[in-house]
Amino acid sequence: MELISQQEVFDGWLRRYQHHSDATATDMVFAVFLPPQVAAARVPVLYWLSGLTCTDENFCQKAGAFRLAAKLGLAIVCPDTSPRGLDLPDEHESYDLGSGAGFYVNATEQPWADHYRMYEYVVEELPALLEAALPVTADKGIAGHSMGGHGALVAALRNPGLYNSVSAFAPICHPTQCPWGRKAFTAYLGPDESQWEQYDATLLVAKAEEPLPILIDQGSKDDFLAEQLKPELFKQACEQAGHPLTLRMHPGYDHSYYFIATFIDDHLRHHAEALGLKV
């Protein structure tokens, strides 16, 4: 890993690294906040998956999470949202496909299949790299926003025992039934919709092997709520499966990082408690 930058913040450190990824066959950049407790011991990690058009920097600059993370002794890792620097056909033509829009799937269709393997990168490659190279433990939670909330839910539901905790802000809950998801899945996974089901949290929860409690916050003034996000369908699926879900609807809040910054401390405490940290 090549260290790109480092800033001290709340007696901890925010670092950005670049490294070669075997999963994406490209160089990838990620950010990591290391709390001051790493001076004495390894600490657990929260993986934060960002949404459409974002990079590793959006959460770091806008969420306001590091003060409490430093107090809790919780590292936070922010991957990018897609491979970069490829210039594939149609990769940069729209905000919801290609660059900045990896959807945390392993693409099987060309021209995406050789590089757009963000599921493998986030779930397998990046944690293995960091646990070997940085003072972090294998205990981890996963969270995200919008497209990243979709990615967090899918990663947790598909990998029982891998994560101690999961949460999301305004996630794309049922991507096989919304325009964003259908566009991305058609391009990345092909026309066979049975192949899409492995990346749809609303469909996965019925067969989840671990009843890992899920926390979701959603704003009522979110412009994408009805057409793209569909939390009510995820709630119905959780109720039918008996899967523990806390879905909090917040009047007046939208899809922005103002919303995330308002409630991020609740999510950090949710993860810290599951990770055995003093809350």
Side-chain angles (χ1 to χ4, degrees), residues 62 107 182:
K62 299 178 180 180
R182 295 188 65 83

Side-chain angles (χ1 to χ4, degrees), residues 128-205:
L129 176 69
L130 300 193
E131 288 161 24
L134 295 178
V136 298
T137 71
D139 294 321
K140 49 188 168 289
I142 191 164
H145 171 228
S146 194
M147 178 186 71
H150 139 76
L153 294 175
V154 167
L157 290 169
R158 285 184 55 176
N159 295 279
L162 184 61
Y163 300 99
N164 296 61
S165 53
V166 59
S167 72
F169 285 87
I172 303 171
C173 290
H174 202 1
T176 63
Q177 299 301 319
C178 78
W180 278 342
R182 295 188 65 83
K183 177 179 179 178
F185 287 4
T186 299
Y188 296 145
L189 305 173
D192 181 359
E193 296 189 18
S194 67
Q195 299 302 309
W196 303 0
E197 296 175 5
Q198 62 186 311
Y199 298 109
D200 188 312
T202 296
L203 302 178
L204 288 171
V205 75

Side-chain angles (χ1 to χ4, degrees), residues 30-59:
F30 67 89
V32 55
F33 171 73
L34 295 172
Q37 290 84 349
V38 298
R42 290 176 175 265
V43 299
V45 186
L46 175 62
Y47 286 84
W48 174 269
L49 307 185
S50 292
L52 290 167
T53 75
C54 291
T55 69
D56 63 288
E57 295 187 286
N58 295 73
F59 180 87

Side-chain angles (χ1 to χ4, degrees), residues 63-105:
F66 297 147
R67 182 190 299 273
L68 182 56
K71 180 179 179 181
L72 293 169
L74 180 64
I76 303 177
V77 172
C78 301
D80 205 344
T81 51
S82 76
R84 303 285 177 172
L86 293 168
D87 292 326
L88 301 175
D90 299 324
E91 187 180 21
H92 311 305
E93 298 304 311
S94 60
Y95 77 96
D96 54 358
L97 182 70
S99 183
F103 266 85
Y104 305 101
V105 303

